[in-house]
Amino acid sequence: MATLARLQARSTTVAHQYYYRNSVVDVFRKKENDAAVKIQSWFRGCQVRAYIRYLHRVATIIQKQWRGYLGRQHYQLIVKLAYYTMKMNLYNAMAVREAEFRDYEASSVSAEIWGRATTKIQRRWRGYKIRKYCFNYFYLKEYLKAVSETNDAVRKALEEFAEMKEREEKKADLEREEKKRDYQARKMHYLLSTKQVPGIYNSPFRKDPDPWELRLQQAKPLTHRRPKVKTKHSVSLSSWLACTSARSFSRSGTLPPIDRKRCQGPFRDVAEVWEQRYKPLEPTLRVAEPMDGLNEARAQLQRQEWTRNVNDNMFLPFSSYHKNKKYIPTMHLSSKYGADAYGSQHFRDENPKKWICDKDFQTVLPSFDLFSKYGKLYSKAGQIV
Amino acid sequence: MSQRQVLQVFEQYQKARTQFVQMVAELATRPQNIETLQNAGVMSLLRPLLLDVVPTIQQTAALALGRLANYNDDLAEAVVKGNILPQLVYSLAEQNRFYKKAAAFVLRAVGKHSPQLAQAIVDCGALDTLVICLEDFDPGVKEAAAWALGYIARHNAELSQAVVDAGAIPLLVLCIQEPEIALKRVAASALSDIAKHSPELAQTVVDAGAIAHLAQMILNPDAKLKRQILSALSQIAKHSVDLAEMVVEAEIFPAVLTCLKDKDEYVKKNASTLIREIAKHTPELSQLIVNTGGVAAVIDCIGSCKGNIKLPGIMMLGYVAAHSENLAMAVIISKGVPQLSVCLSEEPEDHIKAAAAWALGQIGRHTPEHARAVAVTNTLPVLLSLYMSTESSEDLQMKSKKAIKNILQKCTYLPALEPFLYDAPPNILKYVVGQFSKVLPHDSKARRLFVTSGGLKRIQEIKAEPGSLLQEYINSINNCYPEEIVRYYSPGYSDILLQRVDSYQPFTN
């Protein structure tokens, strides 16, 4: 009851409230309604327009089809007409050509048409067959053209080849001749004119000297033939090293001019320099000796032994009497240690327990540059005062 | 007598022997001395010296013998009859290289004269030792041995077979590969001599792999080597299609064409022989040569040389043209016909003319087009004059007649045919009139020209037996013309006309 009483108490205020709120809303109602109408009208407009567009599209398709259909029908008509006129022209032409074969007229028109068609086909086919299997004029023409082109190319190439050969030959001839003339000029160099006496090619009564004169001027006189010195054949290292022997000092060639002035400056004597420069190779002992000398010596020894036919199998007596007896070697042979070679020296104690380290001694033989070059260079670096 | 004096006697004897042998060898180099030497009994004196204790005397004796035997076959026979060969063969295997060379030289000199002498060498068992010499270290010995083998093999097929059976071919092929040019030359010539006799022998040479090595050397600068190489290849290729194809497969083709431009005449000749031997087998091989431009090169080569060198080239053109009409057309467009007609009219030798006539006949016999190409170069009158001339040989007459026949039967080029109406003998006239009778019914211009040039008149003058082929041709020509014209041109028509004038009574009143 208390609640009812509370509600009743509030009913007036509620009515007031209600009225009041409605009146407040009424102010906007008109405006909202207008807005709703506007939205609806826009939306519906869109809908309808879309629908109309759709209808238009469909209508266009239908129209297109229909008009295409009509056009095709019309076109067929035109083609048929054209075909007919063409056919008629052909028939007329054929009829004129085959005027003499009038007896065919008796046959029906359709048979004639078929006959014409077959001749047409036959004509095409026969042409094709002959071109393909028997004779093709254009192919032949093409082929002959290609052949003549290759012919031209070959002719040109051969011509060039022959020309090249000829040129080479001419050049070789000229060179040979030039060489010959050069040699001649060198040989006749003594005919060159001097300051006092004109040579035979330089006649004073002529305006110009003979061309030989010029050639003689340029030529170098032949040197006197020197007797051939037989080269000694030796198998030393310097002989097979061609680089050293070819440039060896003053073995050949002419002597330097006598009246040459000495160069200014603190230079060594020329001869000394040359000697240093072209001295033959003097290899150190290690280089000069073959590096596998020991092995070679061993191999040599083996070969000798083999030739002397020393048997290294144990000697066995051949008679059957001793067959079961074992051969007793002598003390020397049976000894495990063997005899020391005469004069052998031990640089190390034989008892390994006295050794400081377990390793064997290594043989090291460094070359001693100072000694091998001593006195052979003009630098005084190695000299001990 | 001290020891020195005794030895002096021997020394003198040896010196005398040496001098004698050397002098004889020297004298044998001159042909005018040979007869004197022979009469002096040089053979019987040289024979014991072959067995001398001193090697130089042996060698020089062999050399002298070789020179004598080289000179003529009587002396060579004397060497055979003197039983010298077994000695030589025995020592050929034993002695040093100088002696080997000299002994091989004697064998070569003996074997080159006749098959019988070569057979005598084979009977002594020389082949085996010669083949062993081919394996020698010294190239000079190899050369001499290969030379001797080649001279033995060149006579006939049996002797070559004997050389082949001795196992020479692989060694000869090895010799080709040696660096020495002279050895290569001799080995190639020996291979060529072996291969030339029969297809089987050529096949054995091919089986030893000779072709590849030979083909490599075509571009060698040495002309004499090239001669032998080309000759060997052509001797191999000439036997059969297979062998020719083997040679072609060695890719000789552009290289051989350069040999046609060589300075050396024999290189040219052998190169064109090789091309001919290849071309003659099949249309395909000919086609291959045409496609590589070989025909043009050969035609140029014919133009650049003279005499016998031309002959293989001319024959090659004939062979190529004979295969098919397309190939003949290729020869025509390569300008072969003018070159051949120049050969026909300018060469002095009958056999070359005959070859040119044959080749022209082969070119012209295919189609009217071919015949026309031959006819426009004005060769037909030349051929006719060669046929009619009493100076030309029988073969040339035959060949030119055949060529004329072949060309005329296809020729429709009337201006070239017309002169034949006047100066051709009846057996050729037949063909000329036949051609006219074929052409005239279809060609109105030609008909007109034929009348105005006096051809029709000439036709009426020909006496033909009734019923013969010639008469038929004449009738068919006459049928192309109105009767009055025919009658007008027939001989005796003017008399008939005059008679009619005489007998005509003018109508007078």
Side-chain angles (χ1 to χ4, degrees):
Chain A
M1 277 323 266
T3 329
L4 184 67
R6 210 165 47 231
L7 281 174
Q8 273 175 349
R10 276 174 58 187
S11 65
T12 50
T13 52
V14 168
H16 271 289
Q17 202 89 26
Y18 176 75
Y19 179 75
Y20 172 72
R21 280 186 188 173
N22 267 348
S23 67
V24 168
V25 170
D26 271 345
V27 177
F28 299 101
R29 186 152 287 155
K30 177 85 180 16
K31 206 179 174 187
E32 277 175 0
N33 191 43
D34 283 354
V37 167
K38 213 173 187 177
I39 289 168
Q40 275 174 1
S41 68
W42 171 78
F43 176 73
R44 288 193 183 135
C46 276
Q47 224 174 1
V48 169
R49 271 194 294 275
Y51 183 61
I52 287 172
R53 257 207 312 277
Y54 166 71
L55 283 181
H56 277 303
R57 208 161 53 229
V58 170
T60 318
I61 286 169
I62 291 166
Q63 281 171 358
K64 199 161 74 181
Q65 293 292 342
W66 176 242
R67 282 177 190 160
Y69 170 71
L70 280 184
R72 271 189 292 279
Q73 268 200 337
H74 184 64
Y75 173 71
Q76 245 170 12
L77 208 71
I78 291 172
V79 165
K80 262 185 188 163
L81 218 85
Y83 175 64
Y84 184 73
T85 50
M86 197 176 80
K87 217 160 59 176
M88 285 318 291
N89 286 343
L90 191 74
Y91 292 165
N92 289 340
M94 277 187 157
V96 168
R97 203 182 307 154
E98 296 177 7
E100 48 261 49
F101 303 112
R102 279 295 162 200
D103 40 352
Y104 279 120
E105 271 181 16
S107 61
S108 69
V109 175
S110 68
E112 203 167 307
I113 289 170
W114 280 116
R116 299 257 159 80
T118 37
T119 45
K120 216 169 174 183
I121 294 169
Q122 278 175 355
R123 201 170 67 194
R124 288 289 149 111
W125 165 246
R126 283 180 189 154
Y128 170 73
K129 195 180 83 179
I130 288 205
R131 272 192 294 280
K132 178 153 191 196
Y133 295 107
C134 305
F135 178 75
N136 187 347
Y137 176 71
F138 288 97
Y139 177 72
L140 180 71
K141 220 165 121 182
E142 200 82 333
Y143 172 69
L144 290 178
K145 204 172 142 198
V147 165
S148 63
E149 268 167 21
T150 41
N151 280 348
D152 288 343
V154 162
R155 279 195 169 119
K156 210 170 159 193
L158 287 182
E159 203 75 17
E160 271 169 21
F161 176 78
E163 232 168 59
M164 192 186 74
K165 276 272 148 113
E166 205 164 303
R167 238 182 293 132
E168 268 174 20
E169 208 151 289
K170 232 179 227 171
K171 204 175 154 196
D173 270 357
L174 274 180
E175 264 172 22
R176 215 175 303 132
E177 205 130 285
E178 185 65 32
K179 225 174 183 178
K180 216 165 137 192
R181 242 182 267 151
D182 231 38
Y183 180 72
Q184 194 82 9
R186 287 183 71 186
K187 225 166 133 188
M188 299 195 305
H189 189 264
Y190 61 91
L191 295 175
L192 185 68
S193 51
T194 58
K195 233 180 210 173
Q196 299 296 325
V197 186
I200 61 162
Y201 290 116
N202 192 11
S203 168
F205 304 112
R206 286 172 63 181
K207 209 160 69 179
D208 297 320
D210 200 84
W212 268 101
E213 176 70 21
L214 300 176
R215 192 178 276 278
L216 288 181
Q217 275 174 14
Q218 279 159 12
K220 207 171 97 185
L222 282 180
T223 48
H224 290 287
R225 201 174 294 153
R226 52 185 71 234
K228 268 190 183 172
V229 184
K230 264 194 182 176
T231 50
K232 246 193 221 169
H233 193 75
S234 59
V235 205
S236 65
L237 195 64
S238 61
S239 71
W240 57 259
L241 271 178
C243 54
T244 54
S245 61
R247 277 197 232 133
S248 295
F249 175 63
S250 71
R251 283 213 189 144
S252 59
T254 49
L255 289 168
I258 296 165
D259 58 341
R260 214 173 98 177
K261 280 180 194 162
R262 266 188 66 109
C263 296
Q264 243 182 355
F267 296 132
R268 281 174 186 282
D269 187 35
V270 181
E272 205 181 331
V273 174
W274 278 71
E275 193 167 1
Q276 174 64 26
R277 183 164 171 201
Y278 289 124
K279 72 176 177 187
L281 177 69
E282 287 176 358
T284 59
L285 200 63
R286 263 176 49 162
V287 175
E289 281 299 306
M291 67 187 232
D292 55 346
L294 189 65
N295 288 341
E296 247 176 48
R298 270 189 202 140
Q300 173 106 19
L301 206 67
Q302 266 180 356
R303 254 178 275 134
Q304 271 177 7
E305 254 176 277
W306 186 77
T307 46
R308 281 181 210 140
N309 203 7
V310 178
N311 196 353
D312 41 12
N313 290 337
M314 197 190 270
F315 177 76
L316 288 173
F318 49 82
S319 74
S320 53
Y321 173 74
H322 298 287
K323 209 167 37 182
N324 295 328
K325 264 192 192 170
K326 214 185 164 214
Y327 175 69
I328 304 164
T330 59
M331 188 106 96
H332 275 298
L333 284 175
S334 59
S335 159
K336 198 169 76 182
Y337 302 104
D340 277 346
Y342 175 73
S344 59
Q345 284 182 337
H346 300 284
F347 295 105
R348 210 170 193 191
D349 201 295
E350 282 183 339
N351 187 5
K353 290 201 176 158
K354 290 188 179 176
W355 291 359
I356 298 167
C357 70
D358 297 344
K359 278 184 190 165
D360 273 330
F361 284 158
Q362 282 184 335
T363 47
V364 177
L365 264 178
S367 71
F368 211 69
D369 280 350
L370 203 60
F371 289 154
S372 53
K373 285 185 185 166
Y374 178 65
K376 287 169 187 168
L377 294 171
Y378 41 70
S379 83
K380 304 240 161 76
Q383 265 176 346
I384 300 163
V385 184
Chain B
M1 281 276 190
S2 70
Q3 195 190 358
R4 224 189 90 228
Q5 277 169 321
V6 175
L7 285 178
Q8 206 173 11
V9 175
F10 283 90
E11 226 164 72
Q12 270 175 355
Y13 180 49
Q14 185 171 327
K15 258 186 205 162
R17 272 177 359 230
T18 317
Q19 206 184 0
F20 171 72
V21 169
Q22 275 172 356
M23 282 308 290
V24 168
E26 188 108 329
L27 289 172
T29 51
R30 299 222 170 74
Q32 66 264 28
N33 295 335
I34 302 271
E35 207 175 331
T36 328
L37 285 172
Q38 195 180 2
N39 292 338
V42 71
M43 280 294 170
S44 46
L45 286 173
L46 281 178
R47 200 186 150 208
L49 290 175
L50 276 179
L51 286 180
D52 204 279
V53 284
V54 184
T56 32
I57 294 176
Q58 287 181 6
Q59 286 155 27
T60 325
L63 189 68
L65 262 182
R67 280 179 186 164
L68 287 170
N70 205 11
Y71 180 65
N72 66 16
D73 52 343
D74 283 344
L75 283 163
E77 217 169 311
V79 171
V80 174
K81 284 199 180 135
N83 256 344
I84 292 172
L85 292 180
Q87 247 171 53
L88 279 171
V89 171
Y90 170 72
S91 42
L92 190 62
E94 302 289 315
Q95 300 271 3
N96 65 5
R97 59 201 173 106
F98 300 110
Y99 189 81
K100 276 179 183 170
K101 241 190 271 182
F105 171 57
V106 178
L107 291 178
R108 182 181 102 207
V110 171
K112 82 169 188 184
H113 293 294
S114 73
Q116 288 78 30
L117 290 169
Q119 187 62 48
I121 293 175
V122 174
D123 292 340
C124 304
L127 288 181
D128 293 324
T129 40
L130 282 173
V131 168
I132 290 168
C133 283
L134 278 183
E135 287 179 297
D136 203 283
F137 188 67
D138 184 51
V141 175
K142 279 187 199 172
E143 190 187 327
W147 211 334
L149 285 172
Y151 274 22
I152 292 168
R154 75 163 43 159
H155 293 295
N156 58 37
E158 287 83 48
L159 286 166
S160 315
Q161 189 61 49
V163 170
V164 170
D165 290 342
I169 287 183
L171 295 170
L172 285 173
V173 173
L174 280 180
C175 285
I176 296 179
Q177 303 166 45
E178 297 283 331
E180 290 84 13
I181 296 278
L183 179 54
K184 281 180 176 184
R185 227 184 270 163
V186 171
S189 123
L191 283 177
S192 146
D193 284 338
I194 292 170
K196 76 178 177 186
H197 296 295
S198 73
E200 291 77 26
L201 288 166
Q203 187 65 47
T204 47
V205 172
V206 171
D207 288 343
I211 287 181
H213 298 296
L214 288 172
Q216 268 177 6
M217 283 184 284
I218 287 176
L219 289 176
N220 199 297
D222 187 69
K224 281 181 184 164
L225 176 61
K226 260 195 274 189
R227 280 184 205 171
Q228 302 297 350
I229 296 286
L230 292 169
S231 136
L233 284 175
S234 55
Q235 298 290 12
I236 291 170
K238 78 175 183 184
H239 294 293
S240 73
V241 183
D242 293 341
L243 290 167
E245 277 174 0
M246 297 269 261
V247 171
V248 170
E249 273 166 24
E251 295 188 348
I252 56 170
F253 252 100
V256 169
L257 301 184
T258 59
C259 293
L260 290 173
K261 278 276 174 190
D262 206 274
K263 285 220 152 165
D264 193 89
E265 297 280 287
Y266 285 94
V267 172
K268 276 186 192 175
K269 188 183 172 195
N270 288 356
S272 32
T273 311
L274 173 58
I275 297 175
R276 180 192 74 191
E277 299 299 350
I278 292 168
K280 77 176 184 186
H281 289 297
T282 63
E284 287 77 25
L285 286 169
S286 295
Q287 182 105 49
L288 182 115
I289 291 169
V290 168
N291 290 352
T292 48
V295 171
V298 168
I299 289 166
D300 281 5
C301 175
I302 292 174
S304 68
C305 54
K306 51 186 158 197
N308 258 337
I309 320 276
K310 279 181 177 181
L311 187 61
I314 294 170
M315 288 175 73
M316 180 259 176
L317 292 183
Y319 278 128
V320 169
H323 282 307
S324 81
E325 56 178 73
N326 290 353
L327 290 169
M329 198 35 111
V331 173
I332 290 169
I333 60 160
S334 312
K335 296 160 195 147
V337 177
Q339 200 62 260
L340 284 174
S341 55
V342 166
C343 290
L344 196 65
S345 48
E346 287 178 8
E347 275 303 314
E349 301 234 18
D350 270 1
H351 64 276
I352 296 175
K353 279 183 188 169
W358 172 76
L360 283 170
Q362 296 300 336
I363 293 170
R365 65 165 200 172
H366 292 288
T367 64
E369 192 115 342
H370 292 79
R372 186 195 163 97
V374 176
V376 292
T377 52
N378 215 14
T379 35
L380 288 174
V382 181
L383 281 172
L384 185 67
S385 69
L386 285 176
Y387 171 54
M388 303 292 282
S389 155
T390 47
E391 285 165 16
S392 42
S393 67
E394 204 171 308
D395 180 48
L396 175 55
Q397 284 182 348
M398 275 289 297
K399 291 248 163 73
S400 34
K401 186 192 164 190
K402 264 202 157 161
I404 294 172
K405 252 170 79 176
N406 282 339
I407 298 166
L408 284 186
Q409 277 176 347
K410 291 289 175 191
C411 189
T412 56
Y413 182 59
L414 298 183
L417 287 181
E418 217 156 297
F420 274 69
L421 282 176
Y422 301 100
D423 45 13
N427 56 347
I428 288 174
L429 194 62
K430 188 169 63 181
Y431 300 111
V432 179
V433 177
Q435 286 309 107
F436 273 111
S437 75
K438 280 180 213 161
V439 176
L440 289 180
H442 306 290
D443 191 347
S444 55
K445 267 187 199 165
R447 277 202 292 269
R448 192 188 155 79
L449 209 66
F450 190 60
V451 175
T452 51
S453 66
L456 190 62
K457 190 171 171 227
R458 168 67 193 153
I459 289 281
Q460 306 311 319
E461 286 163 8
I462 293 169
K463 275 181 206 151
E465 285 177 31
S468 67
L469 206 60
L470 184 57
Q471 186 62 53
E472 267 179 41
Y473 291 145
I474 292 174
N475 287 344
S476 66
I477 291 176
N478 287 345
N479 285 341
C480 306
Y481 292 98
E483 208 175 332
E484 301 94 278
I485 292 196
V486 175
R487 228 187 289 152
Y488 177 74
Y489 280 115
S490 48
Y493 182 64
S494 54
D495 294 340
I496 294 171
L497 276 183
L498 282 177
Q499 268 181 13
R500 276 182 65 185
V501 168
D502 286 346
S503 62
Y504 185 71
Q505 293 292 323
F507 189 72
T508 50
N509 43 358

